[in-house]
Amino acid sequence: MKIRLGYVAMTLNLEKCSPSGTVTVANFKKLPDEEARMYRLRKITRENLSNTLRILRYNKALNISVYRFTSKLIPLATHPLIEHWDYREDFKEEFSEIGKFVKENDFRVSAHPDHYTLINSHSDKVLEESIKDLDYHVKIYEAMGLEDYRYKLVLHVGGLYKDKKTSIERFKENFVKLPDRIRKRIILENDDKSYTAADVLEICKELKIPMVIDIHHHRCVNHGESLLSLLPEVFDTWKGEYFKPKIHFSSPKSEKDFRSHADFIDIGEFAGFLEIAGAIGRDFDVMLEAKSKDSALLQLSNELKNVKGIRSINESEFELERKEGRKEAYAAREREEGTQESTDSSTWL
DNA sequence: TCGTGTCAAGATCTT
DNA sequence: AAGATCTTGACACGA
């Protein structure tokens, strides 16, 4: 079985290569006239797009084919201040060059609208803004010529609003009303506080949404469900999709600051996870959410070369020895322990 | 040049 | 009801 590693938005190994240059509203308003404002907007956009292409070329050189675009490609993209500006037309060539490169190299690219995008909000205003943000992300894909729904948007279920049950119902109601071009891009991830992997899995099964399980978030909040019991069903939600299932992985910053991401991936934790995944015996991709981005990927990649049962194919791809018989062993352990209310870190596997 | 506060955006916990 | 915190990279500003 094969796994691939990817990273988020930026590389630490290219000089002056941020794809997320910004223009703040305050700064934008300070500029003397329309010409100066458009000049600034276009300058930052041009840099963000060309840096994104540089990152993709760098990824290709390193055999890294899983990558998440920044959500900040177009400064102030969904802000009313720039509604009149057709950035897609303006940077047609640049967008299409990125998309062409993605397709030529069969990259798995994705995006993750940030936590202000809430489609289970009870506020019409917030819902409207959220749809606007989703629309922006889809427009970027479309401008790149990535019309195929295989290129996804990762979302969380949203807020609890003091009543999880009705908040989940509201998510479902609002989700099914979304236009195809948005709805068919959305995949769901468990968060670190409110919606557990089991919660999200249930929603995903009902609405036929592919699920991304975040292993770190699962450690932060769960009701004793083991990964081994969740993973096969989570992977099943990807049935019929072009790409293999994807998971998120990160290590906690510290015991005290558990929910925060550490700079690098703890090889012990990752190897432990692969033990479980090896028992399932299915290919999947791993999005690493470490503060040191691609440096963390490269470090993990190096360390994995020394782990027994793992064969390195290149910098970001590995072949795992199938752990025959393990599945039954873990299932037996689970039966013995039963399901328990616990967030004890020793039981997360 | 370096450190610090602020940034488009919401939710939730604390006071 | 108002304020702090969450989280994040980038930037503006001032020392």
Side-chain angles (χ1 to χ4, degrees):
Chain A
M1 56 176 285
K2 193 168 90 173
I3 66 159
R4 302 189 295 179
L5 307 178
Y7 69 99
V8 174
M10 60 186 281
T11 160
L12 302 187
N13 298 300
L14 294 177
E15 298 282 321
K16 298 211 184 305
C17 198
S18 169
S20 312
T22 52
V23 180
T24 62
V25 169
N27 200 256
F28 185 81
K29 285 180 173 165
K30 243 184 268 172
L31 294 168
D33 53 33
E34 184 64 13
E35 199 189 336
R37 290 176 171 190
M38 284 315 295
Y39 183 84
R40 170 68 62 86
L41 225 41
R42 301 185 76 247
K43 177 174 178 277
I44 302 294
T45 301
R46 192 177 308 111
E47 287 171 1
N48 288 350
L49 290 172
S50 78
N51 286 341
T52 295
L53 190 56
R54 283 174 67 202
I55 292 168
L56 291 176
R57 291 197 176 115
Y58 163 86
N59 289 348
K60 182 183 180 179
L62 267 67
N63 283 309
I64 298 172
S65 50
V66 178
Y67 172 71
R68 183 194 297 168
F69 287 124
T70 172
S71 286
K72 299 195 180 90
L73 263 189
I74 313 299
L76 302 176
T78 58
H79 201 282
L81 276 169
I82 64 143
E83 257 168 359
H84 60 283
W85 180 40
D86 188 352
Y87 51 84
R88 288 176 296 171
E89 184 57 34
D90 215 344
F91 289 94
K92 213 173 176 169
E93 295 302 312
E94 289 83 351
F95 278 118
S96 106
E97 204 180 346
I98 292 171
K100 196 168 150 246
F101 197 75
V102 166
K103 285 186 278 190
E104 276 172 7
N105 296 290
D106 197 24
F107 283 155
R108 179 180 201 166
V109 290
S110 61
H112 195 343
D114 72 339
H115 62 287
Y116 298 107
T117 302
L118 297 154
I119 58 179
N120 78 336
S121 175
H122 41 51
S123 148
D124 290 344
K125 179 95 175 70
V126 173
L127 178 61
E128 195 185 309
E129 293 300 316
S130 298
I131 294 173
K132 205 164 144 188
D133 189 58
L134 288 168
D135 179 64
Y136 152 71
H137 283 88
V138 170
K139 276 179 174 155
I140 298 286
Y141 278 144
E142 289 167 348
M144 289 175 178
L146 304 177
E147 283 92 354
D148 194 295
Y149 296 141
R150 73 182 63 167
Y151 307 105
K152 302 296 187 187
L153 300 177
V154 188
L155 278 191
H156 294 288
V157 178
L160 282 174
Y161 309 99
K162 296 190 178 125
D163 184 348
K164 189 187 262 192
K165 219 176 147 199
T166 59
S167 296
I168 287 176
E169 285 313 309
R170 203 166 44 245
F171 174 89
K172 292 176 185 170
E173 282 167 29
N174 291 338
F175 176 82
V176 298
K177 281 190 266 184
L178 293 169
D180 273 20
R181 58 184 271 284
I182 292 176
R183 194 184 71 251
K184 293 186 175 177
R185 300 271 189 178
I186 292 175
I187 58 180
L188 276 185
E189 176 193 353
N190 55 310
D191 65 69
D192 57 356
K193 267 187 183 149
S194 311
Y195 295 94
T196 65
D199 292 333
V200 177
L201 178 60
E202 209 180 306
I203 299 169
C204 285
K205 283 201 293 195
E206 184 182 333
L207 299 179
K208 310 244 184 301
I209 306 172
M211 172 171 172
V212 167
I213 184 166
D214 186 308
I215 307 303
H216 178 217
H217 291 168
H218 173 63
R219 294 175 72 182
C220 293
V221 52
N222 65 72
H223 297 292
E225 304 92 347
S226 75
L227 266 183
L228 191 80
S229 66
L230 289 165
L231 268 185
E233 286 198 88
V234 170
F235 285 176
D236 282 344
T237 63
W238 287 85
K239 224 172 153 190
E241 287 287 335
Y242 175 80
F243 287 120
K244 300 284 166 63
K246 179 163 69 175
I247 65 125
H248 288 176
F249 199 98
S250 53
S251 293
K253 187 171 184 171
S254 64
E255 202 57 50
K256 186 174 155 285
D257 223 351
F258 196 84
R259 294 208 316 272
S260 302
H261 293 161
D263 291 353
F264 291 90
I265 303 296
D266 183 299
I267 180 65
E269 289 171 358
F270 195 76
F273 167 70
L274 290 185
E275 274 283 301
I276 307 294
I280 313 292
R282 307 244 297 255
D283 294 349
F284 62 95
D285 293 333
V286 183
M287 182 58 80
L288 300 174
E289 295 183 320
K291 291 194 67 157
S292 292
K293 311 293 181 188
D294 57 325
S295 293
L297 186 156
L298 296 173
Q299 186 190 77
L300 176 66
S301 179
N302 265 321
E303 290 171 336
L304 281 174
K305 289 172 186 165
N306 302 321
V307 177
K308 206 164 158 272
I310 295 173
R311 189 172 75 88
S312 171
I313 300 172
N314 60 48
E315 284 84 348
S316 84
E317 296 187 20
F318 297 86
E319 206 132 54
L320 258 70
E321 192 179 280
R322 174 107 192 241
K323 307 271 195 291
E324 293 293 348
R326 295 265 183 185
K327 192 169 180 172
E328 188 43 44
Y330 281 107
R333 191 188 74 177
E334 202 187 20
R335 276 197 299 276
E336 271 170 39
E337 292 173 357
T339 47
Q340 52 201 278
E341 293 284 321
S342 166
T343 51
D344 179 347
S345 65
S346 65
T347 67
W348 68 280
L349 288 173

